[in-house]
Amino acid sequence: MSEEPLLEFLVQGTAVSAQASSRGKRGWKTTVEAAARRALPEGHIPFNRRLCITIYLFPQTEESADIDNCAKPILDAMNHTVYTDDQRVSRLVMQKFEPEKPDSISIKVSKTLVDALDSDGPVVYVRVRDILYGE
């Protein structure tokens, strides 16, 4: 298994909490799914294997939602598009950064993550990869 991501994409906007209104969650899930579809290769068949999902939240203000409440709408939005079911997610790595962008990040930085760091507005970075052990 490779450490290279199977998929990486950005979602423009502020992550919506699982506690938001039904309308708010529906709109956010549509936004996340559309961003994932744009990043997927044509004819993609949803992954049906154990996956690791990394989500970085880059909010514009400190008043954004708790990260534990932001994970579920993002994961649910990728159901049947990125993977067959969110039960396939065996590891979730999630971090919310302060509104001012970090000076450094201690991970392998991709062009997509650089785009997130350069973004002027709120953005959510999502990386999907095979589950790796011993990390």
Side-chain angles (χ1 to χ4, degrees):
M1 286 184 244
S2 169
E3 286 192 45
E4 291 299 312
L6 300 168
L7 175 68
E8 246 183 335
F9 63 96
L10 298 180
V11 186
Q12 297 299 319
T14 301
V16 172
S17 170
Q19 298 174 338
S21 70
S22 294
R23 184 178 181 198
K25 284 187 291 196
R26 218 174 14 257
W28 177 241
K29 287 179 185 179
T30 298
T31 300
V32 172
E33 182 181 357
R37 284 187 187 281
R38 284 191 301 273
L40 288 166
E42 188 173 328
H44 170 74
I45 297 171
F47 299 114
N48 189 25
R49 60 184 186 251
R50 297 176 67 197
L51 299 169
C52 173
I53 308 295
T54 299
I55 302 170
Y56 293 151
L57 306 177
F58 296 97
Q60 205 162 24
T61 65
E62 290 186 27
E63 294 86 39
S64 61
D66 295 343
I67 66 170
D68 60 322
N69 292 325
C70 293
K72 185 153 180 56
I74 294 169
L75 296 173
D76 287 350
M78 294 190 291
N79 267 333
H80 312 297
T81 300
V82 174
Y83 37 71
T84 54
D85 191 283
D86 58 5
Q87 288 182 345
R88 303 308 302 159
V89 177
S90 294
R91 179 181 294 164
L92 174 64
V93 177
M94 193 161 182
Q95 183 170 349
K96 179 170 63 171
F97 292 87
E98 296 302 320
E100 59 279 351
K101 301 293 194 261
D103 292 332
S104 65
I105 293 181
S106 61
I107 63 163
K108 183 178 176 185
V109 178
S110 69
K111 163 112 175 58
T112 306
L113 184 52
V114 169
D115 290 345
L117 292 167
D118 287 343
S119 177
D120 288 332
V123 66
V124 176
Y125 165 86
V126 179
R127 179 177 66 207
V128 178
R129 61 191 179 117
D130 285 312
I131 188 82
L132 298 174
Y133 296 95
E135 294 184 71

